[in-house]
Amino acid sequence: MKFNTRIRYGIRTMLEISMGDSGQGVLQKDIARNQLISVKYLDAIIHALKKANLICNVKGKKSGYILTRPPQEITMMDVYQAFDDEICVVDCCAKDFDCKNDAICDVKLFWGNLNDMIADYFHSFTLQDFLDKREARASIIDEPAD
């Protein structure tokens, strides 16, 4: 299973914005440079994140971006849903999928449980979790050697 680049870059963009100065916001060109994403492709990512009300401009057009909520309140599922409605590892896990074999399927439970585990993980992981792990890693790197 692979997650598309919009979702992966969306998470990276949200992390970059969460690390920025909330007073000034983070400029799109800086996100593109720091995350190695083309500015043109980042336009679509930014648009989707704004439409999902996860980010906004600090002072209108051509200004930096900030989060609309604290990082501990933004889950990876929030970011995922800016680009796709639901996690679906196989078609039969989709809410609107009508399966002719549903009554006799021996593997639907397996796929459904896997789907639920992935969705639960996306719900459980926040931007703050990334920031905490980054801070912990930085403190290890900054410790003087004995």
Side-chain angles (χ1 to χ4, degrees):
M1 177 175 184
K2 285 179 124 176
F3 293 99
N4 66 44
T5 55
R6 292 177 309 138
I7 293 164
R8 295 191 330 260
Y9 290 3
I11 291 172
R12 288 169 44 191
T13 299
M14 291 294 290
L15 179 59
E16 189 72 28
I17 293 169
S18 70
M19 293 184 303
D21 174 17
S22 61
Q24 299 295 317
V26 180
L27 296 174
Q28 184 170 337
K29 66 178 183 163
D30 294 334
I31 297 167
R33 183 188 65 240
N34 294 342
Q35 293 298 323
L36 305 174
I37 303 170
S38 79
V39 173
K40 183 175 177 150
Y41 195 62
L42 189 55
D43 279 338
I45 303 297
I46 294 287
H47 176 75
L49 295 171
K50 284 174 73 173
K51 187 175 177 186
N53 198 32
L54 294 173
I55 61 172
C56 63
N57 293 91
V58 175
K59 300 173 189 165
K61 288 189 173 198
K62 305 222 180 206
S63 66
Y65 294 99
I66 58 170
L67 302 176
T68 58
R69 299 183 305 226
Q72 63 271 19
E73 293 179 16
I74 299 176
T75 68
M76 293 308 98
M77 184 57 88
D78 294 326
V79 179
Y80 182 94
Q81 289 177 326
F83 303 99
D84 205 343
D85 293 334
E86 62 181 325
I87 291 178
C88 189
V89 295
V90 293
D91 290 338
C92 68
C93 292
K95 291 175 186 151
D96 60 351
F97 187 75
D98 183 28
C99 180
K100 294 173 181 34
N101 294 331
D102 196 39
I104 60 166
C105 183
D106 293 323
V107 295
K108 183 175 182 174
L109 179 65
F110 170 79
W111 293 122
N113 287 341
L114 176 60
N115 204 82
D116 291 346
M117 285 192 286
I118 294 169
D120 289 346
Y121 185 66
F122 270 73
H123 278 290
S124 73
F125 208 95
T126 68
L127 280 175
Q128 187 64 51
D129 294 324
F130 279 117
L131 296 173
D132 293 346
K133 288 181 187 313
R134 184 180 183 90
E135 186 176 310
R137 189 175 63 239
S139 69
I140 292 170
I141 293 170
D142 291 341
E143 288 181 2
D146 289 336

